[in-house]
Amino acid sequence: MRKTYIAVTLVALVVIVTSHLMSPSSGRAVSPEDFAGACAPCGAPCPSAKK
Amino acid sequence: MTTATLSAPDIRPARFDPLFLALSIGISAVLIALVLLDGQPASAALILGGFGLGAAFLKAEFSYTASWRRFLNKGEAGGLLGGFIVIAIAALLIVPVAAMGGRYGGAIAPIGPSLLIGAFAFGLGMQLANGCGSGTLYTAGGGSGRMLVTLAFFVIGSVFGSLSLPAFLRLGGIDPVLASSYFGPWGGLLVTLASLAVASAIIVSIAKKRGANFTPNRTYIVGGLIIGALCAFVFLAGGHPWSVTFGYTVWGAKIATFLGFDLSHAEFWNWDGPKLALKQSVLSDTSSLTDFGMLLGAMAAAAATKPFARTAWPPFGSLVAAAVGGLICGWGARIGFGCNIGAFIGGVASGSLHGWIWFVMALAGSFIGIRLRPLFGLSRD
């Protein structure tokens, strides 16, 4: 199991660093709740917004 | 004549695991350096907050899944009440600060069929997975290979959940109900604390009727206080209550996109928040930052006290339960607006009614999940 953990940990690190370096970043970390009209932690709209 | 000094072989078990301790601290340092290079001290604080949460959960063995199971099976309420301590501490900061607006906001969610179905499914799944959102993180980080399987399927399930959430939202519902909207920042806090007191009284009375213990042990009290304080810290750093499972959804969607799946037409991934999260670095997503910190904090705490991940893989049936439970948890968390952390702790600590509804439905789901455990060779206890 240790070998699995070493492999998973190192692959995850490479993927995170690569993804970070190759992706745009708008500045401070955001949550979907930061956006106008978000009604849930995932950013779903409020039921009233659809009516 | 010669003399020889014989010394007994050192059979003491290793006190710590230098490899995994170094890995966890080293990787944490790399992630913190990356966000600081982008000029984001708040992101570094979220990683550190997650790291502290991972260590605290692991050392306190703070398990929502097991404590809910003990309550449903035997009436023991100590663990459940330990979870309420976390909420009470976090609410002291979150309810008034979120109500005052600015860059801070609470964890809210609409109330409707989506919440009810998702929470029920999550409760069922977490008893098969043997871990909720936070539990999966700290046990996987702490060296449980079984929970690595749960985490992988949790991620897959949450992507399926993201694809089906819009359809469930179309079933209807009402806008979030917040105590502070009706009673103001401090009145909202009082109502939130009163709701915790009432829920505690109900749970204690059930425990008494069943002749079970209802006093949280010292570890749960101290752990609850520390975890509650760390929840408040994460709120201050991130602007919203701590959440776990949105990060899983983003990871899964990024992997799916890498594998060639096109999510650009999915309604969920066209909402502003998810759309930006899919496009940006995972280190720009608040829940991913605390998730990474929590995994690494649990790894550091485990490796600091004993050899890491030395146990054997569990039986096949247990791994199947981990996969099935993880898949259901992931789907349920997306449909039900989060897990124990984002929906229950975050919701109730924000004074949002959906948190309590989530709790009742997830408890009902757990009741069924416990009865399904023997199908996979797991005990009901």
Side-chain angles (χ1 to χ4, degrees), chain A residues 1-10 12-51, chain B residues 17 19-20 27 31 34 38 40 43 106-110 140 143-145 148 165 169 173-176 240 246 271-274 276 279-281 283-286 289 292 299 308-313 334 337:
Chain A
M1 194 181 291
R2 285 173 66 85
K3 286 178 184 170
T4 306
Y5 261 94
I6 291 169
V8 168
T9 305
L10 294 179
L13 175 65
V14 170
V15 169
I16 291 167
V17 172
T18 307
S19 157
H20 179 70
L21 296 176
M22 295 178 67
S23 305
S25 175
S26 64
R28 77 173 180 89
V30 292
S31 154
E33 292 165 291
D34 287 323
F35 293 86
C39 209
C42 64
C46 287
S48 61
K50 293 181 174 177
K51 289 170 186 170
Chain B
D17 194 317
L19 172 63
F20 280 92
I27 293 173
L31 298 185
L34 284 174
D38 278 351
Q40 301 304 323
S43 299
I108 57 170
S144 164
L148 276 183
L165 175 59
L169 289 178
I174 60 169
D175 283 359
H240 294 280
F246 184 73
W271 295 337
D272 291 341
L276 186 69
K279 192 173 76 177
Q280 291 205 125
S281 158
L283 299 183
S284 296
D285 168 47
T286 53
L289 291 166
F292 293 143
M299 182 182 283
F308 186 83
R310 289 283 192 195
T311 52
W313 287 94
R334 216 47 309 121
F337 309 110

Side-chain angles (χ1 to χ4, degrees), chain B residues 31-378:
Chain B
L31 298 185
I32 289 171
L34 284 174
V35 295
L36 288 178
L37 281 172
D38 278 351
Q40 301 304 323
S43 299
L46 286 171
I47 295 172
L48 287 172
F51 193 96
L53 282 163
F57 265 86
L58 188 104
K59 299 310 287 182
E61 295 183 19
F62 212 90
S63 169
Y64 287 97
T65 307
S67 61
W68 287 28
R69 200 156 62 232
R70 282 195 293 271
F71 175 71
L72 290 168
N73 282 342
K74 299 172 183 169
E76 290 176 14
L80 213 53
L81 296 178
F84 285 9
I85 293 173
V86 175
I87 300 175
I89 298 295
L92 292 174
L93 182 75
I94 295 174
V95 173
V97 173
M100 290 170 189
R103 66 174 284 256
Y104 293 99
I108 57 170
I111 297 168
S114 185
L115 174 68
L116 302 178
I117 295 166
F120 182 88
F122 186 91
L124 188 157
M126 82 179 202
Q127 292 302 337
L128 299 179
N130 220 20
C132 56
S134 57
T136 298
L137 279 180
Y138 91 80
T139 50
S144 164
R146 181 188 190 278
M147 298 311 285
L148 276 183
V149 175
T150 295
L151 179 59
F153 281 87
F154 209 134
V155 168
I156 295 168
S158 71
V159 176
F160 284 120
S162 75
L163 301 178
S164 47
L165 175 59
F168 280 85
L169 289 178
R170 282 191 281 275
L171 295 175
I174 60 169
D175 283 359
V177 178
L178 266 175
S180 57
S181 299
Y182 293 90
F183 305 105
W186 301 110
L189 175 60
L190 280 178
V191 169
T192 300
L193 295 177
S195 73
L196 281 165
V198 170
S200 300
I202 293 169
I203 286 165
V204 167
S205 72
I206 292 171
K208 279 183 176 172
K209 270 185 190 170
R210 297 181 69 178
N213 181 31
F214 55 85
T215 312
N217 62 33
R218 187 173 171 276
T219 308
Y220 258 71
I221 294 172
V222 175
L225 291 170
I226 293 171
I227 292 166
L230 286 167
C231 284
F233 176 79
V234 166
F235 171 74
L236 286 176
H240 294 280
W242 174 33
S243 74
V244 171
T245 58
F246 184 73
Y248 296 176
T249 313
V250 174
W251 305 348
K254 279 182 175 290
I255 293 169
T257 304
F258 177 76
L259 294 175
F261 292 94
D262 181 12
L263 297 175
S264 64
H265 300 295
E267 185 178 338
F268 179 95
W269 295 104
N270 278 290
W271 295 337
D272 291 341
K275 188 176 185 177
L276 186 69
L278 185 56
K279 192 173 76 177
Q280 291 205 125
S281 158
V282 282
L283 299 183
S284 296
D285 168 47
T286 53
S287 57
S288 292
L289 291 166
T290 44
D291 287 354
F292 293 143
M294 195 168 182
L295 282 163
L296 294 164
M299 182 182 283
T305 50
K306 62 180 182 183
F308 186 83
R310 289 283 192 195
T311 52
W313 287 94
F316 182 70
S318 178
L319 291 176
V320 173
V324 172
L327 208 57
I328 297 172
C329 276
W331 183 83
R334 216 47 309 121
I335 300 300
F337 309 110
C339 62
N340 298 52
I341 304 303
F344 178 44
I345 292 183
V348 175
S350 302
S352 177
L353 180 61
H354 90 279
W356 283 120
I357 294 172
W358 189 97
F359 172 68
V360 171
M361 292 307 296
L363 206 60
S366 279
F367 181 82
I368 303 299
I370 289 168
R371 274 140 192 84
L372 296 177
R373 282 169 59 91
L375 293 177
F376 299 91
L378 304 174

